[in-house]
Amino acid sequence: MSIRTENGSFTIFLGFSVVLFCFLENYDSLRYFLLLPPLLVMGVLHFYNKGFFVDKRSLYVMLILSVVVGILGLPSLIELYPHKNNLNYLYLDYFFGTSFKIIVIFLTFIFLCNDREKLYKVVSWVLVFNISFFMIQLITVYITSYYIDPLQPITGERQRFLSNFSLPLIGIIYRPTGFFEEPSTYSAFILTLISCRLYLSPKIDRVIYIAISTMILSLSVAAVIYGGVLLFYCIYQSKRSYIKYLIYLCLPILLCFLIYMAYQRLISIDTATDIRNNLLLYVFGQTYSEMLLGNGMLGVVDELASYMSEGTLWQAGVASLNDNGLWLFIINKIGVLGLIIFILLMWIKTKTRLNRLLLCLLMITKLSFLYFGFIFYIALVLSRSPADDEFTAKN
């Protein structure tokens, strides 16, 4: 048999490897070295089977996004007011770093021949891999009190899995984080993967329900909220009426439990609210021009610049620039105007009610639009339309 007829599953596995490493945000530069070998092999297989055939639409969107990235950074480079260059972050580092992510993502699309079914399988595998490891962590820590931390041996950073509160009968409450630093980051990237999968096919199956459940079980207060909203929507859309009405009967008890858990988590970290309020005060305490147009890709609020450069942002009473959600991070970088343009563009492209709900939920997660995983979502939305009924029925 020729490679031409045998490499379908192998190519999907290679695509899975690349996309998985794209989403491992807390592993820093290590993931770049891990994703290059499978990407290279996938490229060799593609050119062996397809020659120099390249999907023109993917290539076009890739070039457009790279140009947009370059243009967005120019006002900061020349310090065109109100954009700033106060982070000791070089324009070339920003441009080549972000462009590299865009190129890797679109090469993955191209090497998978822009096949929606292959992309769907790749995203599904990455989602299943992440939620499976989360469940292993959850079961292990509650049975043995030993927490499996895959981050600390590699980066030296310990995962933040403790909740600082306990419950009668259950005891200490743990908050598994999967492959990520903290529960809120895990939940944000799981929601991104869910959004990608449902964009490729709006089929809500057990994988989606389990993924949403892990977000809620992470006990990130924000994840409990947006995970609960998404879970309710999925139940509402369910065609299994007997399950739907059974869950409706249990919903008041479930809501009370989730509210109680979220409350316990909030009072266990009484400084969290102050930290988020501080960031709001910094961003909305700027001039109207700064709020409207942002501080630029190489800049930040003047009062936070020195802390950011020194890596001591906590001394300013702020955890991170995306701690209040993606929406505020975008305002900080490209302003209210940039936020409106971004949402309008994505709103037009997502088209369906489900995809638009997911977009709104993503805006309140602790994501950055410069994260590899979120760029993957943007690239997916911009380079293709939502799944049609024929594909959904097939899968």
Side-chain angles (χ1 to χ4, degrees):
M1 293 184 183
S2 67
I3 296 177
R4 192 181 302 274
T5 60
E6 290 182 340
N7 73 342
S9 297
F10 185 54
T11 302
I12 292 172
F13 172 75
L14 293 171
F16 156 77
S17 302
V18 173
V19 176
L20 175 65
F21 296 135
C22 288
F23 274 83
L24 295 183
E25 187 63 36
N26 294 127
Y27 287 83
D28 301 325
S29 58
L30 173 64
R31 60 201 173 125
Y32 297 112
F33 295 103
L34 293 174
L35 65 81
L36 286 176
L39 184 68
L40 179 61
V41 174
M42 194 158 50
V44 170
L45 289 175
H46 175 80
F47 288 116
Y48 179 85
N49 290 319
K50 301 289 183 179
F52 288 94
F53 172 79
V54 174
D55 178 72
K56 292 181 180 179
R57 179 176 175 80
S58 291
L59 185 62
Y60 174 75
V61 178
M62 179 183 76
L63 293 174
I64 290 295
L65 280 178
S66 297
V67 170
V68 169
V69 164
I71 292 173
L72 283 177
L74 288 177
S76 279
L77 178 64
I78 61 177
E79 298 191 72
L80 179 64
Y81 182 83
H83 285 200
K84 307 172 181 67
N85 189 350
N86 57 6
L87 287 178
N88 295 326
Y89 183 34
L90 297 178
Y91 174 81
L92 291 179
D93 290 339
Y94 151 75
F95 176 70
F96 286 118
T98 309
S99 296
F100 174 80
K101 296 173 184 178
I102 294 171
I103 291 169
V104 166
I105 290 166
F106 278 99
L107 284 178
T108 304
F109 291 172
I110 291 169
F111 295 157
L112 290 171
C113 301
N114 256 336
D115 187 312
R116 185 182 291 271
E117 187 173 351
K118 288 181 180 178
L119 275 170
Y120 177 78
K121 289 179 179 178
V122 165
V123 171
S124 296
W125 283 18
V126 175
L127 181 60
V128 169
F129 188 81
N130 275 278
I131 63 178
S132 297
F133 186 75
F134 177 96
M135 295 305 297
I136 291 171
Q137 281 182 319
L138 181 72
I139 293 169
T140 302
V141 74
Y142 274 104
I143 291 178
T144 68
S145 295
Y146 174 76
Y147 182 78
I148 303 172
D149 188 337
L151 193 63
Q152 187 176 22
I154 297 174
T155 67
E157 293 287 333
R158 191 183 184 193
Q159 292 184 321
R160 302 171 190 173
F161 63 92
L162 295 174
S163 66
N164 298 325
F165 73 94
S166 59
L167 294 178
L169 301 179
I170 299 177
I172 297 174
I173 299 299
Y174 299 98
R175 305 190 309 148
T177 68
F179 292 100
F180 301 90
E181 185 180 22
E182 57 183 31
S184 56
T185 310
Y186 167 83
S187 300
F189 281 104
I190 291 300
L191 183 61
T192 307
L193 284 166
I194 290 173
S195 301
C196 292
R197 191 175 189 265
L198 291 176
Y199 189 83
L200 290 166
S201 171
K203 180 181 178 181
I204 299 172
D205 56 12
R206 292 178 183 176
V207 172
I208 297 296
Y209 280 114
I210 295 172
I212 296 171
S213 299
T214 64
M215 288 162 49
I216 296 172
L217 287 170
S218 74
L219 293 183
S220 162
V221 177
V224 169
I225 295 171
Y226 57 71
V229 170
L230 183 56
L231 181 61
F232 180 80
Y233 178 87
C234 292
I235 294 170
Y236 178 77
Q237 293 294 319
S238 173
K239 295 180 180 179
R240 300 178 182 180
S241 57
Y242 65 95
I243 295 178
K244 183 188 300 186
Y245 291 117
L246 178 62
I247 294 175
Y248 281 165
L249 289 173
C250 300
L251 193 59
I253 299 173
L254 178 62
L255 285 175
C256 289
F257 178 73
L258 291 178
I259 291 170
Y260 175 75
M261 295 292 282
Y263 172 73
Q264 289 294 324
R265 175 59 188 161
L266 279 175
I267 63 175
S268 69
I269 46 168
D270 54 3
T271 59
T273 303
D274 292 335
I275 288 173
R276 287 171 173 80
N277 287 339
N278 289 340
L279 183 56
L280 287 171
L281 291 173
Y282 279 119
V283 173
F284 291 106
Q286 301 177 101
T287 65
Y288 289 119
S289 298
E290 289 169 324
M291 284 190 292
L292 181 65
L293 300 175
N295 295 284
M297 306 308 292
L298 311 179
V300 71
V301 180
D302 281 324
E303 291 83 354
L304 299 177
S306 60
Y307 296 107
M308 283 287 295
S309 299
E310 296 167 4
T312 57
L313 194 57
W314 57 272
Q315 292 184 358
V318 174
S320 65
L321 293 181
N322 55 345
D323 205 42
N324 289 46
L326 176 60
W327 67 277
L328 191 63
F329 182 83
I330 293 176
I331 289 176
N332 178 67
K333 288 297 181 182
I334 53 178
V336 174
L337 182 61
L339 175 65
I340 293 171
I341 293 172
F342 175 76
I343 291 178
L344 282 176
L345 175 62
M346 297 296 286
W347 190 268
I348 293 169
K349 289 293 295 180
T350 47
K351 295 182 181 180
T352 69
R353 182 168 55 186
L354 173 59
N355 289 320
R356 287 172 174 173
L357 171 64
L358 289 164
L359 173 64
C360 293
L361 296 180
L362 285 170
M363 298 307 295
I364 62 174
T365 62
K366 288 176 62 174
L367 288 170
S368 159
F369 62 80
L370 297 176
Y371 282 169
F372 220 141
F374 191 67
I375 294 175
F376 182 90
Y377 167 74
I378 294 173
L380 192 66
V381 171
L382 295 182
S383 61
R384 55 192 33 80
S385 300
D388 53 27
D389 294 334
E390 182 180 348
F391 178 82
T392 303
K394 182 181 177 181
N395 288 274

